[in-house]
Amino acid sequence: MSRVAEGVSPLELADYQKAVRLVLRHPLITPGYPDRAALATVRRWAEHLRTDLMEVLGYRLVTTADTARLQRAQDGLDATRPALTRAGRPFDRRRYAYLVLTLAALGRHGAQVALGELADAVAADAVRIDGLGLDTARKPDRDAFVDAVTWLTERGALTLADGSATAWAGDPERAEALYDIDREILLAVHHPTRVLQHLTSVTSLLDSSGALGLSAGRAAQRRDQARRARRLVLENPVAYYADADAELLGQLRAPALAEDLERLTGLAVERRAEGVALVDTSGRLSDLRFPGGGTVAQAALLLAARTSGAVQRSGRHALDLLPAPTAADRLAARARRIDGALPSRGTVAELTEPIELGEPDEESAHETVVDADHEPGETRYPFVTDSWLRSRLKEIIGEYGAGFAADLRGDPDRLLDQALDLLGAMSLMLRVDGGALALPLLARYRGVTARVKTRTAPQPPAQTALFDDETAKDLTP
């Protein structure tokens, strides 16, 4: 029997699980973020949360008078949870750089700071970084800087005391903004588990057990593997058996995994032949919902349906079957891209312990069938080419484009790129050279139907695509 939520009465279990989902969804909680009730909810269950999150997942919850900070154990590099701009778009590299430099500059100020003064401090640091800079005379630079400041403001690290950041971004000669600085929240925002100046590779951040002070002894290895397996299921739309390390397979298949996660989160664990998924039909835990609203999500859903239908109609042997890059290969590729931007000066190499990532051995490749009772070797998946995907998207735009945003409808290559990124984030398809692989979860969306509903007067003439797929709605990962 699971010991999760031990001491929580059956009548209060749902409230406790709500607190769990809240802190997992928002690793930083402050008096005003994500709402005014969140911190009180987490603080009520803080003792139970600290125990269960550490025992089940290896996560450490740190609470203070005004913050609750979840320190996650990182097993991989996840590109699906970006910081968002005021317009809801993912941060680019410039905005991330401004955010980090803003955090550093705030540490040198007192209780308040003017936005123009903060911008000058960040600009003085940015000019020393090749290719960055911050020119407050340029509107794009000001907008990027204000996006970084707004991100901190939303979390309570900064509080607007007077003026307007938007007005300053429009004309810094005529407008200004004054902010109060909350040191406690500022410290919680930036709470690294490593001395960042000592890192020579981003993969050094992934030794999470050592970073959080967990036991590395032989007696604790099985417990740590169980935590890794639970994290794999919790943090991903699906944990494929074929993609898991050999030592994790037994943990993924163990009944205790489902029992612990279901009691901790209040969500259902679903097992299939290909893997395990934690199903969040409410969307209260997921940071990315699918199906969803908007042009990209709608186009991705229709593209998923057509791809899945083509795989089903043709059978496995009518399409090329290609191996998917392993999780280690994908991690190595992401690490190389990130490490390419790291500074080469000022590091202390002897204090780092980067993870060694092996290269794939093509000669050892062999095809297997994914099965819950079979140890996977190299699994092969149906492959669709870029040209096939472009043709299908062209058909989708022709049938349903009236409901799409005009800028994406007029740029099908960009729409296809964003749709495939979304499908990749949901573990439905995997992009490879020359096309994409259809992963097992994609079959869930082969029955999607769609229609375009035209708005009638007196509403504007814009059209919206509506999707009638009750199965997909009920089983959103």
Side-chain angles (χ1 to χ4, degrees):
M1 179 178 179
S2 175
R3 298 182 61 184
V4 175
E6 194 171 39
V8 178
S9 72
L11 293 177
E12 294 182 309
L13 182 59
D15 289 337
Y16 174 67
Q17 292 168 338
K18 177 182 177 181
V20 170
R21 294 192 297 268
L22 182 62
V23 76
L24 289 173
R25 178 69 178 84
H26 302 283
L28 174 64
I29 296 176
T30 66
Y33 182 83
D35 56 57
R36 296 188 180 277
L39 185 60
T41 300
V42 172
R43 287 180 64 83
R44 177 192 175 195
W45 297 105
E47 183 177 351
H48 288 91
L49 288 170
R50 275 192 290 268
T51 299
D52 286 343
L53 291 171
M54 176 57 73
E55 289 299 318
V56 176
L57 301 167
Y59 293 170
R60 175 169 292 159
L61 179 66
V62 180
T63 57
T64 66
D66 291 325
T67 65
R69 185 69 162 96
L70 184 66
Q71 296 178 357
R72 273 188 163 95
Q74 288 295 122
D75 301 307
L77 302 175
D78 187 357
T80 66
R81 297 172 183 146
L84 299 178
T85 68
R86 292 167 290 166
R89 297 187 178 91
F91 269 30
D92 54 19
R93 293 175 66 180
R94 178 174 297 275
R95 285 168 170 79
Y96 279 120
Y98 287 166
L99 177 59
V100 172
L101 293 177
T102 299
L103 285 167
L106 288 170
R108 302 191 295 267
H109 284 78
Q112 287 189 321
V113 63
L115 187 59
E117 179 186 1
L118 182 59
D120 290 340
V122 171
D125 291 334
V127 74
R128 296 198 293 267
I129 301 174
D130 294 341
L132 184 59
L134 169 57
D135 185 355
T136 55
R138 296 185 67 251
K139 182 67 161 55
D141 283 10
R142 296 198 302 272
D143 285 338
F145 172 67
V146 169
D147 279 335
V149 170
T150 301
W151 189 92
L152 291 171
T153 304
E154 290 172 347
R155 285 150 183 81
L158 295 172
T159 301
L160 184 65
D162 192 20
S164 167
T166 302
W168 179 89
D171 188 353
E173 297 296 327
R174 296 189 177 185
E176 185 57 281
L178 181 66
Y179 288 91
D180 295 326
I181 303 173
D182 190 310
R183 295 288 170 194
E184 186 174 316
I185 296 177
L186 200 63
L187 180 62
V189 168
H190 182 62
H191 201 98
T193 57
R194 290 287 198 278
V195 179
L196 299 184
Q197 291 88 339
H198 296 167
L199 302 185
T200 57
S201 171
V202 68
T203 55
S204 300
L205 292 169
L206 301 181
D207 185 11
S208 302
S209 294
L212 295 182
L214 303 179
S215 173
R218 182 174 300 179
Q221 289 182 359
R222 184 172 181 83
R223 182 181 61 184
D224 290 343
Q225 289 296 336
R227 287 169 171 160
R228 275 192 62 200
R230 296 185 199 108
R231 292 196 296 263
L232 189 64
V233 175
L234 176 73
E235 300 285 3
N236 295 278
V238 60
Y240 290 119
Y241 293 129
D243 209 26
D245 298 337
E247 59 268 23
L248 291 185
L249 288 176
Q251 297 290 350
L252 287 174
R253 294 168 180 157
L257 179 141
E259 186 179 355
D260 289 342
L261 285 179
E262 288 178 348
R263 184 162 175 82
L264 180 68
T265 65
L267 306 180
V269 171
E270 180 178 310
R271 293 184 182 275
R272 297 292 183 184
E274 301 86 359
V276 189
L278 187 65
V279 182
D280 179 18
T281 58
S282 68
R284 294 172 184 170
L285 178 59
S286 304
D287 56 347
L288 183 62
R289 295 210 65 186
F290 187 82
T295 295
V296 173
Q298 293 172 351
L301 179 60
L302 290 169
L303 188 62
R306 299 203 177 197
T307 304
S308 180
V311 171
Q312 183 187 31
R313 288 191 302 272
S314 62
R316 287 178 58 88
H317 301 292
L319 293 175
D320 288 337
L321 299 177
L322 299 181
T326 66
D329 293 337
R330 296 199 296 272
L331 173 59
R334 293 190 188 106
R336 284 193 293 269
R337 289 197 297 271
I338 297 173
D339 289 349
L342 291 176
S344 58
R345 293 171 294 177
T347 58
V348 185
E350 61 270 20
L351 295 182
T352 65
E353 296 179 0
I355 294 175
E356 296 294 333
L357 297 171
E359 295 298 326
D361 182 3
E362 295 182 0
E363 294 182 358
S364 64
H366 60 279
E367 182 178 350
T368 65
V369 178
V370 180
D371 185 85
D373 297 319
H374 180 72
E375 294 295 331
E378 180 188 75
T379 304
R380 294 174 177 262
Y381 300 101
F383 171 74
V384 291
T385 66
D386 285 332
S387 61
W388 187 91
L389 290 166
R390 283 193 292 268
S391 296
R392 300 294 80 72
L393 185 65
K394 183 178 180 181
E395 296 171 359
I396 291 169
I397 292 175
E399 293 181 41
Y400 306 104
F404 291 171
D407 60 330
L408 290 171
R409 184 175 65 238
D411 191 351
D413 288 339
R414 181 161 67 99
L415 179 56
L416 177 61
D417 188 63
Q418 293 183 18
L420 289 175
D421 283 346
L422 176 57
L423 294 173
M426 297 305 302
S427 299
L428 297 169
M429 299 183 73
L430 180 63
R431 301 183 75 170
V432 295
D433 291 341
L437 302 178
L439 301 180
L441 187 61
L442 191 72
R444 177 158 292 174
Y445 300 99
R446 62 181 172 229
V448 170
T449 60
R451 60 188 175 88
V452 178
K453 180 179 180 180
T454 304
R455 299 185 185 276
T456 57
Q459 295 175 313
Q463 296 175 325
T464 302
L466 302 179
F467 298 90
D468 299 321
D469 177 25
E470 296 303 324
T471 301
K473 290 176 183 176
D474 289 342
L475 297 176
T476 302

